[in-house]
Amino acid sequence: MARKGRMATGAMMGTGPVRRGGRRKVEHRLGDVARQRIQEAHAHLAAGEAEPAATKFQRMANVAQEREMPRVAAHLGAHAALAHAMAGDREAFTASLDAAVAEAQKDGDKDRTSRLFGRFLDRLADTPFADDAATLKPTLRNQLGVTPKAPAADPSVNRSMRRHLPKRCANCGADVDEATIAFNDDGSVDCDRCGSLLTG
């Protein structure tokens, strides 16, 4: 009896949910609750409510990491770092940024990484850590192997592509605003809410 008890306890202490036949496969998508939390985080950020925005962005970045979604985790982690910068929390800012960089390294898409952290540095200028942008740029370049550079808007090039955009992001459920989205150099578009690639 004691042996059976130990075996049961060992199973419950595993890293993932257990079902008959083995562990349940990690789902590479966000559920309804996660989607709602991302929308709430963006709403907090837009309202200047830095601390709750940072908390929710980081929590959702962790969820994306657990689901092995490095692109989304890097995007949300960068937003968490930005929110921590707005709040003036140096320690949390550094931790979130380091985590976002690590996820971007896993993703391996250097063009997208350049855009993500280019936008991040641009927005950092409006926070108490604005002076950090100049020193962070070469640091990020060395860590990621690419120079952070926000894309230049050129809607005339992409006008014919807009009608093929989906109405909502398949990953986080956010509405796609055709007036504000920016096309990547290869013609693809990233969701500005969760960072995943928009698909029709």
Side-chain angles (χ1 to χ4, degrees):
M1 295 293 291
R3 185 176 179 182
K4 289 183 179 180
R6 284 195 298 271
M7 291 175 63
T9 302
M12 289 189 295
M13 291 177 66
T15 57
V18 178
R19 65 175 182 180
R20 184 174 295 176
R23 296 192 183 281
R24 193 161 50 213
K25 185 178 179 180
V26 175
E27 295 185 2
H28 297 269
R29 64 181 179 83
L30 298 175
D32 291 339
V33 174
R35 291 180 173 196
Q36 180 62 33
R37 295 293 180 268
I38 290 173
Q39 297 303 324
E40 291 171 357
H42 279 285
H44 284 308
L45 195 65
E49 299 165 351
E51 292 184 5
T55 298
K56 289 186 177 179
F57 275 127
Q58 191 58 61
R59 185 178 300 164
M60 293 304 100
N62 293 342
V63 169
Q65 181 181 8
E66 290 170 1
R67 283 165 172 69
E68 299 176 9
M69 303 166 68
R71 171 172 293 204
V72 175
H75 182 89
L76 298 177
H79 276 71
L82 179 66
H84 284 306
M86 291 171 59
D89 188 333
R90 170 71 63 182
E91 183 177 355
F93 166 76
T94 300
S96 291
L97 181 57
D98 287 348
V101 167
E103 291 302 306
Q105 290 170 331
K106 292 179 188 177
D107 182 40
D109 186 333
K110 291 190 175 182
D111 289 338
R112 184 189 173 280
T113 293
S114 175
R115 294 189 298 270
L116 171 63
F117 288 97
R119 295 188 188 102
F120 166 78
L121 291 178
D122 284 348
R123 297 187 68 182
L124 194 64
D126 298 324
T127 75
F129 299 159
D131 292 342
D132 288 30
T135 56
L136 276 175
K137 190 170 186 177
T139 299
L140 290 171
R141 182 177 62 240
N142 291 335
Q143 291 176 321
L144 299 167
V146 65
T147 300
K149 184 178 180 181
D154 189 1
S156 63
V157 174
N158 305 300
R159 188 174 299 149
S160 63
M161 304 178 191
R162 294 179 184 274
R163 63 177 175 269
H164 299 296
L165 289 170
K167 297 297 183 183
R168 293 182 179 81
C169 173
N171 186 46
C172 73
D175 292 335
V176 175
D177 186 350
E178 296 182 13
T180 61
I181 58 93
F183 282 84
N184 302 326
D185 293 341
D186 62 0
S188 64
V189 183
D190 299 322
C191 175
D192 63 357
R193 293 290 175 171
C194 73
S196 61
L197 191 68
L198 291 179
T199 57

